Amino acid sequence: MEINWQKVHGSLKHVSTGGNQVWGVNQSNQIFRWKSGNWELIPGLLSQIDVAGDGSVWGCNASDEIFRWYGHGWERMPGALRQLSVGHANLVVGCNSQQQIWKWDGASWAQLPGAAVCAAVNSKGDLWVVNNADEIFHWRGETWHKIDGALRHITVAEDGSILGCNAANEIWWRQGEVGSSWIKMPGLLVMASVHKWGKHIWGVNAAGEIWAHTAPFKPKKTQQTKQQKAVSRFTTVAWQQMPGKLRQVASCKYGVYGVNASEEIFQWTGTKWEKLPGAARHISVGADGSVWVCNAAHEIFRYIRASNSWEKMPGLLVQLSVAHNNSVLGVNAEQDIFHWNGSSWHQLPGKAIWAATNKYDAFWVVNQAHEVFYWASNQWHKIDGALVNISVTKEGAVVGCNAQGQIWTRAGPQGAWKTVPGAAISVSAFDKNNMICCNSSHDIFR
């Protein structure tokens, strides 16, 4: 496959792409995130950064300290690394200043044999390294297997293909270990990052110039356009009643869940409501299908599908919203706001009675006075309007109910409120094609 590089404005010394995200650091160790065609400055200082397909972002600073992004700040992690690669939230591999190789399993670091200066891993655990002699090795589960060629930097795509840069800044690619050989790619880079081969490839050259390949090169819809499309869909919705009675519902592309007045928990099978074990007053489902609930005692539980059971989580909340398994926003009985980063809760400033987030960690809340706020630049920004609950779609559109049962929607912070047909006390919208609500009689509509 031919790479068609396009220059991106800005200057970086390291760039990483994963999923729909691109992060980088410059020569001053400032951190940037690519957003809507521009670089957004992120608080903190890192010398190297990596982002996985599930949105997990880790980095190392100049003192080899390790940090993990929890959505709105950096959490210091144990250990010390000079370089790291993130496969997913519970899989990180890196090299320290002694060239030792370490692997994070979600709870602790375990040392792997060998020595390396650069490691690369994908979400499937396919692990590659290069050492200080530019030799290349592939991990076979118990031992390293030496691969022909010489590279200074290496990255591995989700399909197992490898992209690397050598001492002459030449770019080389191969389709995995077995039955393939190195193919020289056009251009000169000191490092590259690939998520999906042929679709998401970014790199930096010796001058700090940023280059990207996204094939095919099509004009992308802006986030605001996507939000406006969702709003247009919502304002013309033709509700269809579903069977059953629920007082609160939650939806994602993987399914619909809800709780009734008796605090019973249900999942929609496509034809009927199926009762799940346990009891809850509030339920939320994330973009990855993660289901979390709060019960009458404010205890928090996460659904384990394999055993059809609930895992008790730390903390106490009265309401929550799940972005994905490693990002949950919620409020407690004292109206404090908390964010779950995959391992612990972090309190955010302010007070709220209802919180909402989406798969990209857009944070919105409603307070006791029914005022609406969204989170940006590490602070809450007040939005016009009044709601009692709120939901955020993956596009960033917002939909909610006011105290009179009217349903309102807007295209993010920059939009204007527009009415949605119908009346509801609870509404949940995952994207422009998935919206569900309950009215005051607990009738269910989608």
PDB file of all heavy atoms in Angstrom, residues 400-436:
ATOM      1  N   GLY A 400     -32.176  16.657  26.791  1.00  0.00           N
ATOM      2  CA  GLY A 400     -32.574  16.565  28.190  1.00  0.00           C
ATOM      3  C   GLY A 400     -34.021  16.950  28.397  1.00  0.00           C
ATOM      4  O   GLY A 400     -34.696  17.431  27.490  1.00  0.00           O
ATOM      5  N   CYS A 401     -34.486  16.763  29.647  1.00  0.00           N
ATOM      6  CA  CYS A 401     -35.868  17.078  30.008  1.00  0.00           C
ATOM      7  C   CYS A 401     -35.875  18.211  31.033  1.00  0.00           C
ATOM      8  O   CYS A 401     -35.016  18.273  31.906  1.00  0.00           O
ATOM      9  CB  CYS A 401     -36.552  15.861  30.632  1.00  0.00           C
ATOM     10  SG  CYS A 401     -36.482  14.367  29.625  1.00  0.00           S
ATOM     11  N   ASN A 402     -36.859  19.088  30.939  1.00  0.00           N
ATOM     12  CA  ASN A 402     -37.010  20.124  31.961  1.00  0.00           C
ATOM     13  C   ASN A 402     -38.052  19.701  32.989  1.00  0.00           C
ATOM     14  O   ASN A 402     -38.614  18.601  32.914  1.00  0.00           O
ATOM     15  CB  ASN A 402     -37.326  21.485  31.328  1.00  0.00           C
ATOM     16  CG  ASN A 402     -38.675  21.524  30.633  1.00  0.00           C
ATOM     17  OD1 ASN A 402     -39.505  20.633  30.795  1.00  0.00           O
ATOM     18  ND2 ASN A 402     -38.899  22.581  29.855  1.00  0.00           N
ATOM     19  N   ALA A 403     -38.323  20.565  33.954  1.00  0.00           N
ATOM     20  CA  ALA A 403     -39.234  20.216  35.044  1.00  0.00           C
ATOM     21  C   ALA A 403     -40.674  20.044  34.573  1.00  0.00           C
ATOM     22  O   ALA A 403     -41.486  19.405  35.254  1.00  0.00           O
ATOM     23  CB  ALA A 403     -39.165  21.297  36.124  1.00  0.00           C
ATOM     24  N   GLN A 404     -40.998  20.595  33.414  1.00  0.00           N
ATOM     25  CA  GLN A 404     -42.348  20.462  32.866  1.00  0.00           C
ATOM     26  C   GLN A 404     -42.489  19.229  31.967  1.00  0.00           C
ATOM     27  O   GLN A 404     -43.551  18.999  31.389  1.00  0.00           O
ATOM     28  CB  GLN A 404     -42.717  21.714  32.065  1.00  0.00           C
ATOM     29  CG  GLN A 404     -42.881  22.974  32.916  1.00  0.00           C
ATOM     30  CD  GLN A 404     -41.555  23.530  33.406  1.00  0.00           C
ATOM     31  OE1 GLN A 404     -40.586  23.586  32.648  1.00  0.00           O
ATOM     32  NE2 GLN A 404     -41.509  23.933  34.663  1.00  0.00           N
ATOM     33  N   GLY A 405     -41.442  18.442  31.825  1.00  0.00           N
ATOM     34  CA  GLY A 405     -41.496  17.244  31.001  1.00  0.00           C
ATOM     35  C   GLY A 405     -41.218  17.497  29.533  1.00  0.00           C
ATOM     36  O   GLY A 405     -41.307  16.572  28.714  1.00  0.00           O
ATOM     37  N   GLN A 406     -40.899  18.739  29.180  1.00  0.00           N
ATOM     38  CA  GLN A 406     -40.534  19.019  27.789  1.00  0.00           C
ATOM     39  C   GLN A 406     -39.123  18.499  27.493  1.00  0.00           C
ATOM     40  O   GLN A 406     -38.254  18.485  28.369  1.00  0.00           O
ATOM     41  CB  GLN A 406     -40.576  20.528  27.532  1.00  0.00           C
ATOM     42  CG  GLN A 406     -41.958  21.141  27.675  1.00  0.00           C
ATOM     43  CD  GLN A 406     -41.888  22.666  27.637  1.00  0.00           C
ATOM     44  OE1 GLN A 406     -40.990  23.254  28.227  1.00  0.00           O
ATOM     45  NE2 GLN A 406     -42.834  23.291  26.949  1.00  0.00           N
ATOM     46  N   ILE A 407     -38.904  18.072  26.256  1.00  0.00           N
ATOM     47  CA  ILE A 407     -37.612  17.536  25.840  1.00  0.00           C
ATOM     48  C   ILE A 407     -36.923  18.570  24.951  1.00  0.00           C
ATOM     49  O   ILE A 407     -37.527  19.102  24.019  1.00  0.00           O
ATOM     50  CB  ILE A 407     -37.782  16.208  25.071  1.00  0.00           C
ATOM     51  CG1 ILE A 407     -38.685  15.241  25.826  1.00  0.00           C
ATOM     52  CG2 ILE A 407     -36.414  15.561  24.809  1.00  0.00           C
ATOM     53  CD1 ILE A 407     -39.105  14.026  25.020  1.00  0.00           C
ATOM     54  N   TRP A 408     -35.652  18.827  25.251  1.00  0.00           N
ATOM     55  CA  TRP A 408     -34.894  19.832  24.526  1.00  0.00           C
ATOM     56  C   TRP A 408     -33.563  19.245  24.022  1.00  0.00           C
ATOM     57  O   TRP A 408     -33.003  18.350  24.643  1.00  0.00           O
ATOM     58  CB  TRP A 408     -34.604  21.049  25.418  1.00  0.00           C
ATOM     59  CG  TRP A 408     -35.847  21.805  25.807  1.00  0.00           C
ATOM     60  CD1 TRP A 408     -36.683  21.553  26.852  1.00  0.00           C
ATOM     61  CD2 TRP A 408     -36.389  22.945  25.133  1.00  0.00           C
ATOM     62  NE1 TRP A 408     -37.713  22.454  26.885  1.00  0.00           N
ATOM     63  CE2 TRP A 408     -37.568  23.339  25.836  1.00  0.00           C
ATOM     64  CE3 TRP A 408     -36.006  23.688  24.023  1.00  0.00           C
ATOM     65  CZ2 TRP A 408     -38.340  24.419  25.461  1.00  0.00           C
ATOM     66  CZ3 TRP A 408     -36.779  24.775  23.642  1.00  0.00           C
ATOM     67  CH2 TRP A 408     -37.937  25.133  24.352  1.00  0.00           C
ATOM     68  N   THR A 409     -33.091  19.782  22.917  1.00  0.00           N
ATOM     69  CA  THR A 409     -31.812  19.330  22.375  1.00  0.00           C
ATOM     70  C   THR A 409     -31.044  20.512  21.810  1.00  0.00           C
ATOM     71  O   THR A 409     -31.632  21.538  21.452  1.00  0.00           O
ATOM     72  CB  THR A 409     -32.021  18.253  21.278  1.00  0.00           C
ATOM     73  OG1 THR A 409     -30.753  17.749  20.861  1.00  0.00           O
ATOM     74  CG2 THR A 409     -32.757  18.815  20.074  1.00  0.00           C
ATOM     75  N   ARG A 410     -29.714  20.368  21.759  1.00  0.00           N
ATOM     76  CA  ARG A 410     -28.876  21.402  21.156  1.00  0.00           C
ATOM     77  C   ARG A 410     -27.593  20.770  20.638  1.00  0.00           C
ATOM     78  O   ARG A 410     -27.168  19.711  21.108  1.00  0.00           O
ATOM     79  CB  ARG A 410     -28.561  22.534  22.139  1.00  0.00           C
ATOM     80  CG  ARG A 410     -27.640  22.157  23.262  1.00  0.00           C
ATOM     81  CD  ARG A 410     -27.450  23.295  24.252  1.00  0.00           C
ATOM     82  NE  ARG A 410     -26.722  24.431  23.709  1.00  0.00           N
ATOM     83  CZ  ARG A 410     -26.853  25.678  24.140  1.00  0.00           C
ATOM     84  NH1 ARG A 410     -27.706  25.960  25.118  1.00  0.00           N
ATOM     85  NH2 ARG A 410     -26.139  26.670  23.618  1.00  0.00           N
ATOM     86  N   ALA A 411     -26.961  21.436  19.672  1.00  0.00           N
ATOM     87  CA  ALA A 411     -25.735  20.928  19.056  1.00  0.00           C
ATOM     88  C   ALA A 411     -24.515  21.369  19.863  1.00  0.00           C
ATOM     89  O   ALA A 411     -23.730  22.216  19.443  1.00  0.00           O
ATOM     90  CB  ALA A 411     -25.622  21.430  17.619  1.00  0.00           C
ATOM     91  N   GLY A 412     -24.365  20.817  21.071  1.00  0.00           N
ATOM     92  CA  GLY A 412     -23.215  21.131  21.892  1.00  0.00           C
ATOM     93  C   GLY A 412     -23.271  22.526  22.473  1.00  0.00           C
ATOM     94  O   GLY A 412     -24.296  23.225  22.405  1.00  0.00           O
ATOM     95  N   PRO A 413     -22.156  22.997  23.047  1.00  0.00           N
ATOM     96  CA  PRO A 413     -22.142  24.304  23.707  1.00  0.00           C
ATOM     97  C   PRO A 413     -22.473  25.472  22.785  1.00  0.00           C
ATOM     98  O   PRO A 413     -23.039  26.470  23.225  1.00  0.00           O
ATOM     99  CB  PRO A 413     -20.697  24.417  24.219  1.00  0.00           C
ATOM    100  CG  PRO A 413     -20.202  23.018  24.299  1.00  0.00           C
ATOM    101  CD  PRO A 413     -20.882  22.279  23.196  1.00  0.00           C
ATOM    102  N   GLN A 414     -22.116  25.343  21.500  1.00  0.00           N
ATOM    103  CA  GLN A 414     -22.318  26.460  20.576  1.00  0.00           C
ATOM    104  C   GLN A 414     -23.709  26.494  19.949  1.00  0.00           C
ATOM    105  O   GLN A 414     -24.057  27.425  19.232  1.00  0.00           O
ATOM    106  CB  GLN A 414     -21.278  26.410  19.444  1.00  0.00           C
ATOM    107  CG  GLN A 414     -19.867  26.778  19.880  1.00  0.00           C
ATOM    108  CD  GLN A 414     -19.204  25.691  20.696  1.00  0.00           C
ATOM    109  OE1 GLN A 414     -19.362  24.511  20.387  1.00  0.00           O
ATOM    110  NE2 GLN A 414     -18.472  26.061  21.715  1.00  0.00           N
ATOM    111  N   GLY A 415     -24.505  25.470  20.199  1.00  0.00           N
ATOM    112  CA  GLY A 415     -25.821  25.390  19.573  1.00  0.00           C
ATOM    113  C   GLY A 415     -26.872  26.207  20.310  1.00  0.00           C
ATOM    114  O   GLY A 415     -26.576  26.950  21.245  1.00  0.00           O
ATOM    115  N   ALA A 416     -28.108  26.068  19.865  1.00  0.00           N
ATOM    116  CA  ALA A 416     -29.250  26.714  20.516  1.00  0.00           C
ATOM    117  C   ALA A 416     -30.273  25.631  20.829  1.00  0.00           C
ATOM    118  O   ALA A 416     -30.403  24.643  20.090  1.00  0.00           O
ATOM    119  CB  ALA A 416     -29.857  27.771  19.601  1.00  0.00           C
ATOM    120  N   TRP A 417     -31.005  25.798  21.920  1.00  0.00           N
ATOM    121  CA  TRP A 417     -31.985  24.792  22.315  1.00  0.00           C
ATOM    122  C   TRP A 417     -33.139  24.721  21.323  1.00  0.00           C
ATOM    123  O   TRP A 417     -33.662  25.741  20.899  1.00  0.00           O
ATOM    124  CB  TRP A 417     -32.528  25.089  23.707  1.00  0.00           C
ATOM    125  CG  TRP A 417     -31.516  24.918  24.804  1.00  0.00           C
ATOM    126  CD1 TRP A 417     -30.941  25.894  25.545  1.00  0.00           C
ATOM    127  CD2 TRP A 417     -30.981  23.684  25.275  1.00  0.00           C
ATOM    128  NE1 TRP A 417     -30.070  25.365  26.460  1.00  0.00           N
ATOM    129  CE2 TRP A 417     -30.074  23.997  26.321  1.00  0.00           C
ATOM    130  CE3 TRP A 417     -31.160  22.345  24.922  1.00  0.00           C
ATOM    131  CZ2 TRP A 417     -29.358  23.030  27.013  1.00  0.00           C
ATOM    132  CZ3 TRP A 417     -30.450  21.368  25.613  1.00  0.00           C
ATOM    133  CH2 TRP A 417     -29.564  21.704  26.639  1.00  0.00           C
ATOM    134  N   LYS A 418     -33.503  23.478  20.968  1.00  0.00           N
ATOM    135  CA  LYS A 418     -34.651  23.235  20.103  1.00  0.00           C
ATOM    136  C   LYS A 418     -35.512  22.166  20.745  1.00  0.00           C
ATOM    137  O   LYS A 418     -35.014  21.258  21.411  1.00  0.00           O
ATOM    138  CB  LYS A 418     -34.191  22.787  18.712  1.00  0.00           C
ATOM    139  CG  LYS A 418     -33.374  23.848  17.979  1.00  0.00           C
ATOM    140  CD  LYS A 418     -33.016  23.400  16.562  1.00  0.00           C
ATOM    141  CE  LYS A 418     -32.259  24.495  15.820  1.00  0.00           C
ATOM    142  NZ  LYS A 418     -31.937  24.111  14.433  1.00  0.00           N
ATOM    143  N   THR A 419     -36.807  22.273  20.518  1.00  0.00           N
ATOM    144  CA  THR A 419     -37.725  21.335  21.161  1.00  0.00           C
ATOM    145  C   THR A 419     -37.783  20.016  20.408  1.00  0.00           C
ATOM    146  O   THR A 419     -37.685  19.960  19.183  1.00  0.00           O
ATOM    147  CB  THR A 419     -39.144  21.924  21.256  1.00  0.00           C
ATOM    148  OG1 THR A 419     -39.577  22.271  19.931  1.00  0.00           O
ATOM    149  CG2 THR A 419     -39.158  23.151  22.140  1.00  0.00           C
ATOM    150  N   VAL A 420     -37.947  18.955  21.183  1.00  0.00           N
ATOM    151  CA  VAL A 420     -38.137  17.603  20.656  1.00  0.00           C
ATOM    152  C   VAL A 420     -39.594  17.226  20.897  1.00  0.00           C
ATOM    153  O   VAL A 420     -40.137  17.500  21.983  1.00  0.00           O
ATOM    154  CB  VAL A 420     -37.200  16.610  21.361  1.00  0.00           C
ATOM    155  CG1 VAL A 420     -37.437  15.182  20.880  1.00  0.00           C
ATOM    156  CG2 VAL A 420     -35.740  17.019  21.138  1.00  0.00           C
ATOM    157  N   PRO A 421     -40.275  16.640  19.935  1.00  0.00           N
ATOM    158  CA  PRO A 421     -41.673  16.251  20.155  1.00  0.00           C
ATOM    159  C   PRO A 421     -41.825  15.325  21.359  1.00  0.00           C
ATOM    160  O   PRO A 421     -40.899  14.578  21.694  1.00  0.00           O
ATOM    161  CB  PRO A 421     -42.038  15.523  18.862  1.00  0.00           C
ATOM    162  CG  PRO A 421     -41.055  15.996  17.851  1.00  0.00           C
ATOM    163  CD  PRO A 421     -39.789  16.276  18.593  1.00  0.00           C
ATOM    164  N   GLY A 422     -42.976  15.380  21.994  1.00  0.00           N
ATOM    165  CA  GLY A 422     -43.264  14.464  23.084  1.00  0.00           C
ATOM    166  C   GLY A 422     -42.994  15.054  24.449  1.00  0.00           C
ATOM    167  O   GLY A 422     -42.624  16.231  24.595  1.00  0.00           O
ATOM    168  N   ALA A 423     -43.201  14.222  25.474  1.00  0.00           N
ATOM    169  CA  ALA A 423     -42.980  14.614  26.860  1.00  0.00           C
ATOM    170  C   ALA A 423     -42.314  13.456  27.581  1.00  0.00           C
ATOM    171  O   ALA A 423     -42.620  12.278  27.328  1.00  0.00           O
ATOM    172  CB  ALA A 423     -44.300  14.973  27.533  1.00  0.00           C
ATOM    173  N   ALA A 424     -41.383  13.760  28.492  1.00  0.00           N
ATOM    174  CA  ALA A 424     -40.646  12.701  29.168  1.00  0.00           C
ATOM    175  C   ALA A 424     -40.103  13.172  30.506  1.00  0.00           C
ATOM    176  O   ALA A 424     -39.938  14.381  30.742  1.00  0.00           O
ATOM    177  CB  ALA A 424     -39.489  12.210  28.290  1.00  0.00           C
ATOM    178  N   ILE A 425     -39.838  12.221  31.391  1.00  0.00           N
ATOM    179  CA  ILE A 425     -39.159  12.508  32.653  1.00  0.00           C
ATOM    180  C   ILE A 425     -37.727  11.980  32.615  1.00  0.00           C
ATOM    181  O   ILE A 425     -36.903  12.333  33.464  1.00  0.00           O
ATOM    182  CB  ILE A 425     -39.904  11.890  33.854  1.00  0.00           C
ATOM    183  CG1 ILE A 425     -40.013  10.362  33.693  1.00  0.00           C
ATOM    184  CG2 ILE A 425     -41.281  12.526  34.009  1.00  0.00           C
ATOM    185  CD1 ILE A 425     -40.514   9.660  34.934  1.00  0.00           C
ATOM    186  N   SER A 426     -37.432  11.143  31.617  1.00  0.00           N
ATOM    187  CA  SER A 426     -36.092  10.575  31.475  1.00  0.00           C
ATOM    188  C   SER A 426     -35.822  10.345  29.999  1.00  0.00           C
ATOM    189  O   SER A 426     -36.672   9.823  29.280  1.00  0.00           O
ATOM    190  CB  SER A 426     -35.986   9.252  32.244  1.00  0.00           C
ATOM    191  OG  SER A 426     -34.810   8.544  31.906  1.00  0.00           O
ATOM    192  N   VAL A 427     -34.633  10.734  29.546  1.00  0.00           N
ATOM    193  CA  VAL A 427     -34.275  10.530  28.144  1.00  0.00           C
ATOM    194  C   VAL A 427     -32.817  10.110  28.061  1.00  0.00           C
ATOM    195  O   VAL A 427     -31.980  10.566  28.853  1.00  0.00           O
ATOM    196  CB  VAL A 427     -34.540  11.798  27.301  1.00  0.00           C
ATOM    197  CG1 VAL A 427     -33.675  12.955  27.767  1.00  0.00           C
ATOM    198  CG2 VAL A 427     -34.318  11.520  25.822  1.00  0.00           C
ATOM    199  N   SER A 428     -32.526   9.219  27.131  1.00  0.00           N
ATOM    200  CA  SER A 428     -31.150   8.767  26.911  1.00  0.00           C
ATOM    201  C   SER A 428     -30.908   8.694  25.409  1.00  0.00           C
ATOM    202  O   SER A 428     -31.701   8.122  24.674  1.00  0.00           O
ATOM    203  CB  SER A 428     -30.929   7.384  27.542  1.00  0.00           C
ATOM    204  OG  SER A 428     -29.657   6.858  27.201  1.00  0.00           O
ATOM    205  N   ALA A 429     -29.781   9.291  24.968  1.00  0.00           N
ATOM    206  CA  ALA A 429     -29.456   9.277  23.544  1.00  0.00           C
ATOM    207  C   ALA A 429     -27.987   8.915  23.376  1.00  0.00           C
ATOM    208  O   ALA A 429     -27.109   9.650  23.847  1.00  0.00           O
ATOM    209  CB  ALA A 429     -29.745  10.637  22.915  1.00  0.00           C
ATOM    210  N   PHE A 430     -27.723   7.784  22.725  1.00  0.00           N
ATOM    211  CA  PHE A 430     -26.334   7.390  22.469  1.00  0.00           C
ATOM    212  C   PHE A 430     -25.787   8.092  21.232  1.00  0.00           C
ATOM    213  O   PHE A 430     -24.685   8.618  21.228  1.00  0.00           O
ATOM    214  CB  PHE A 430     -26.235   5.877  22.293  1.00  0.00           C
ATOM    215  CG  PHE A 430     -24.882   5.431  21.813  1.00  0.00           C
ATOM    216  CD1 PHE A 430     -23.777   5.506  22.650  1.00  0.00           C
ATOM    217  CD2 PHE A 430     -24.706   4.965  20.517  1.00  0.00           C
ATOM    218  CE1 PHE A 430     -22.517   5.115  22.207  1.00  0.00           C
ATOM    219  CE2 PHE A 430     -23.453   4.568  20.065  1.00  0.00           C
ATOM    220  CZ  PHE A 430     -22.358   4.654  20.915  1.00  0.00           C
ATOM    221  N   ASP A 431     -26.584   8.097  20.166  1.00  0.00           N
ATOM    222  CA  ASP A 431     -26.212   8.807  18.945  1.00  0.00           C
ATOM    223  C   ASP A 431     -27.484   9.238  18.239  1.00  0.00           C
ATOM    224  O   ASP A 431     -28.580   9.090  18.786  1.00  0.00           O
ATOM    225  CB  ASP A 431     -25.317   7.949  18.037  1.00  0.00           C
ATOM    226  CG  ASP A 431     -25.982   6.646  17.601  1.00  0.00           C
ATOM    227  OD1 ASP A 431     -27.234   6.565  17.593  1.00  0.00           O
ATOM    228  OD2 ASP A 431     -25.264   5.691  17.259  1.00  0.00           O
ATOM    229  N   LYS A 432     -27.334   9.765  17.030  1.00  0.00           N
ATOM    230  CA  LYS A 432     -28.507  10.311  16.334  1.00  0.00           C
ATOM    231  C   LYS A 432     -29.537   9.246  16.003  1.00  0.00           C
ATOM    232  O   LYS A 432     -30.696   9.563  15.720  1.00  0.00           O
ATOM    233  CB  LYS A 432     -28.077  11.027  15.055  1.00  0.00           C
ATOM    234  CG  LYS A 432     -27.475  10.139  13.982  1.00  0.00           C
ATOM    235  CD  LYS A 432     -27.077  10.949  12.763  1.00  0.00           C
ATOM    236  CE  LYS A 432     -26.602  10.072  11.620  1.00  0.00           C
ATOM    237  NZ  LYS A 432     -25.354   9.370  11.937  1.00  0.00           N
ATOM    238  N   ASN A 433     -29.146   7.958  16.049  1.00  0.00           N
ATOM    239  CA  ASN A 433     -30.058   6.868  15.711  1.00  0.00           C
ATOM    240  C   ASN A 433     -30.576   6.115  16.929  1.00  0.00           C
ATOM    241  O   ASN A 433     -31.362   5.187  16.775  1.00  0.00           O
ATOM    242  CB  ASN A 433     -29.356   5.880  14.776  1.00  0.00           C
ATOM    243  CG  ASN A 433     -28.934   6.522  13.475  1.00  0.00           C
ATOM    244  OD1 ASN A 433     -29.719   7.242  12.859  1.00  0.00           O
ATOM    245  ND2 ASN A 433     -27.703   6.289  13.054  1.00  0.00           N
ATOM    246  N   ASN A 434     -30.120   6.479  18.111  1.00  0.00           N
ATOM    247  CA  ASN A 434     -30.508   5.735  19.310  1.00  0.00           C
ATOM    248  C   ASN A 434     -30.918   6.699  20.424  1.00  0.00           C
ATOM    249  O   ASN A 434     -30.072   7.238  21.136  1.00  0.00           O
ATOM    250  CB  ASN A 434     -29.345   4.868  19.794  1.00  0.00           C
ATOM    251  CG  ASN A 434     -29.039   3.719  18.863  1.00  0.00           C
ATOM    252  OD1 ASN A 434     -29.693   2.683  18.907  1.00  0.00           O
ATOM    253  ND2 ASN A 434     -28.031   3.895  18.008  1.00  0.00           N
ATOM    254  N   MET A 435     -32.230   6.924  20.544  1.00  0.00           N
ATOM    255  CA  MET A 435     -32.760   7.760  21.614  1.00  0.00           C
ATOM    256  C   MET A 435     -33.974   7.062  22.195  1.00  0.00           C
ATOM    257  O   MET A 435     -34.801   6.502  21.462  1.00  0.00           O
ATOM    258  CB  MET A 435     -33.134   9.152  21.104  1.00  0.00           C
ATOM    259  CG  MET A 435     -33.634  10.070  22.208  1.00  0.00           C
ATOM    260  SD  MET A 435     -33.775  11.822  21.711  1.00  0.00           S
ATOM    261  CE  MET A 435     -35.005  11.739  20.405  1.00  0.00           C
ATOM    262  N   ILE A 436     -34.077   7.075  23.504  1.00  0.00           N
ATOM    263  CA  ILE A 436     -35.179   6.407  24.189  1.00  0.00           C
ATOM    264  C   ILE A 436     -35.590   7.261  25.380  1.00  0.00           C
ATOM    265  O   ILE A 436     -34.768   7.981  25.953  1.00  0.00           O
ATOM    266  CB  ILE A 436     -34.768   4.978  24.633  1.00  0.00           C
ATOM    267  CG1 ILE A 436     -35.958   4.219  25.210  1.00  0.00           C
ATOM    268  CG2 ILE A 436     -33.592   5.020  25.601  1.00  0.00           C
ATOM    269  CD1 ILE A 436     -35.687   2.734  25.402  1.00  0.00           C
TER     270      ILE A 436
END
